[in-house]
Amino acid sequence: MKDRIDSLLEEVEQFTPDNQEKAESFRLKYLSRKGRIAELFDEFKTVAPELKREIGQKLNELQTKAKEKFEAFRSRHDHDASDSEQTVDLSLPAESFEGSRHPLMLVREDIISIFGRLGFTVADGPEIENDWHNFSALNFPEEHPARDMQDTFFIDKDIALRTHTSSVQVRIMETTKPPIRMIMPGRVYRNEAISARAHCFFHQVEGLYVDKGVSFADMKQTLLYFSREMFGEKTEIRLRPSYFPFTEPSAEMDISCSICGGSGCNVCKHSGWVEILGCGMVDPQVLKNCGIDPDEYSGFAFGMGIERITMLKYGVNDLRLYSENDVRFLNQFKPVW
Ligand code: DAH
């Protein structure tokens, strides 16, 4: 028995586990309940009393050596984060439970809070919408391309996934007596091929202000306030004449590029300006369609894409990142407590 202990001692001494698998087979072979050392301890019970002392000492030495070898590997391995074979113990309690906020939700909340300071409240509407609220009440002519199957996901002849949050304006105006000062964030759908620059669903925030004597200047000042709160106080805005069926006059609004500060970069295509929203005075016919007298009331409306604002605020250059649930992307938006 003495010889066998000696030869095991030699084996143990020579063994240098360099990965998790080898260390585990070492542990099983020598240190487990059915391992070599346990076997020898079993056999030890039958050893003659006069040999017990000597053999007992040897056996203890062997066991200590084997344990040391294994522990030495383990502590080296635990500290070596670069070891590609490091395994994760899934039974350990999680280090922390807090996840991260989705960037689109962070920006959505920023938008709500900025307009909240100007007295705008939040309203909601359905994502499955009828033709009247999504198109007809907003003056879209019968043959408008947005009504085409190629742009819109139709569920039925009269029912579609809303293509913009402007449908919620209609619902609000139909049911609320002015003054109305509301923003309407939500998800919208378009029949587009998915790429870095387009997606079949995205998010918008609609804004609507209807009261007696609301002017284009009110709109301009509101949007300037928003832009500076969102992108910094040095931000400038410019309005370019545009066309939407539901506003007259209509405009698209650019801000001085938040990435390069206006000096020219890829994002602003070296123009110094980036478009962030569409806006205009609510067309008198739209007010009428919704039961509001255009001789008494006027209003402005605007609509912006949350993905676009987020892209400019955080430098996200691919729309697909927002919906892929990649934690490497999402973890960057973890709150700093
Ligand atoms: N609904 C428009 C779109 O999806 C955005 C928009 C433009 C909304 C002008 C408005 C507006 O309220 O006045 O492109």
Side-chain angles (χ1 to χ4, degrees):
M1 186 169 178
K2 240 164 66 183
D3 290 347
R4 270 187 291 141
I5 296 176
D6 279 339
S7 83
L8 279 189
L9 242 174
E10 213 170 298
E11 266 179 57
V12 165
E13 248 155 27
Q14 271 166 21
F15 195 75
T16 37
D18 53 7
N19 66 37
Q20 187 78 29
E21 216 176 298
K22 283 192 195 155
E24 183 56 13
S25 63
F26 175 87
R27 190 188 65 80
L28 285 172
K29 183 169 173 191
Y30 299 102
L31 291 166
S32 66
R33 273 203 298 143
K34 289 191 174 143
R36 292 285 174 77
I37 296 173
E39 270 173 19
L40 287 170
F41 270 107
D42 259 358
E43 203 178 321
F44 180 69
K45 292 176 199 147
T46 64
V47 166
E50 64 276 17
L51 294 173
K52 272 220 149 94
R53 205 181 128 97
E54 192 192 352
I55 293 189
Q57 261 173 9
K58 270 207 173 305
L59 206 47
N60 278 332
E61 191 191 336
L62 172 65
Q63 188 180 38
T64 313
K65 269 264 148 60
K67 276 186 180 161
E68 275 172 12
K69 271 266 150 122
F70 183 70
E71 286 307 324
F73 168 79
R74 216 170 39 190
S75 63
R76 224 181 326 123
H77 196 260
D78 282 353
H79 288 114
D80 186 2
S82 66
D83 189 332
S84 59
E85 298 199 56
Q86 188 167 355
T87 54
V88 179
D89 183 351
L90 296 175
S91 66
L92 288 173
E95 268 172 27
S96 79
F97 287 97
E98 96 262 0
S100 56
R101 307 293 312 281
H102 194 284
L104 292 176
M105 292 301 117
L106 290 174
V107 169
R108 177 187 189 270
E109 264 167 41
D110 278 353
I111 298 172
I112 291 175
S113 138
I114 294 169
F115 282 105
R117 277 173 251 148
L118 293 175
F120 284 76
T121 53
V122 177
D124 201 5
E127 291 182 17
I128 299 173
E129 206 30 297
N130 56 22
D131 178 274
W132 171 254
H133 290 99
N134 199 78
F135 295 125
S136 297
L138 291 163
N139 277 350
F140 278 83
E142 223 27 85
E143 69 290 354
H144 194 282
R147 293 182 175 226
D148 201 301
M149 294 275 280
Q150 265 163 6
D151 295 293
T152 305
F153 288 117
F154 280 96
I155 291 170
D156 211 330
K157 203 172 130 318
D158 184 51
I159 309 283
L161 296 180
R162 69 178 176 200
T163 59
H164 53 182
T165 43
S166 303
S167 55
V168 191
Q169 287 193 30
V170 177
R171 288 187 174 271
I172 298 297
M173 287 192 283
E174 281 175 339
T175 52
T176 317
K177 199 177 145 24
I180 299 169
R181 208 182 308 173
M182 285 184 176
I183 54 165
M184 300 140 245
R187 187 175 270 200
V188 300
Y189 302 83
R190 293 201 192 157
N191 196 354
E192 302 250 14
I194 296 170
S195 71
R197 291 163 165 274
H199 212 294
C200 56
F201 66 81
F202 53 98
H203 301 78
Q204 289 188 332
V205 177
E206 191 79 11
L208 178 68
Y209 184 18
V210 181
D211 200 354
K212 288 181 180 150
V214 174
S215 70
F216 199 86
D218 294 329
M219 180 181 84
K220 225 170 121 178
Q221 200 57 34
T222 303
L223 296 176
L224 177 64
Y225 174 80
F226 164 74
S227 304
R228 291 193 169 160
E229 289 292 296
M230 180 58 90
F231 294 106
E233 60 190 28
K234 295 215 170 71
T235 307
E236 297 293 344
I237 62 167
R238 80 176 180 188
L239 290 161
R240 283 177 291 103
S242 185
Y243 172 77
F244 299 101
F246 39 91
T247 43
E248 182 56 37
S250 304
E252 277 166 318
M253 191 184 88
D254 300 339
I255 56 164
S256 49
C257 181
S258 60
I259 308 277
C260 64
S263 59
C265 68
N266 279 343
V267 171
C268 62
K269 301 197 189 82
H270 300 279
S271 69
W273 296 95
V274 283
E275 185 196 321
I276 63 161
L277 56 82
C279 57
M281 301 305 290
V282 182
D283 192 302
Q285 183 59 46
V286 173
L287 292 174
K288 236 189 253 173
N289 291 345
C290 301
I292 292 176
D293 181 359
D295 293 330
E296 197 179 349
Y297 293 103
S298 59
F300 67 77
F302 55 88
M304 66 182 98
I306 303 184
E307 277 79 354
R308 176 121 185 104
I309 307 286
T310 311
M311 184 238 144
L312 292 169
K313 207 167 158 84
Y314 293 111
V316 180
N317 58 9
D318 189 326
L319 272 178
R320 292 167 293 197
L321 285 167
Y322 293 125
S323 50
E324 278 172 352
N325 281 340
D326 187 331
V327 288
R328 291 168 303 179
F329 172 68
L330 297 171
N331 277 344
Q332 297 176 73
F333 301 94
K334 265 207 158 122
V336 184
W337 299 110

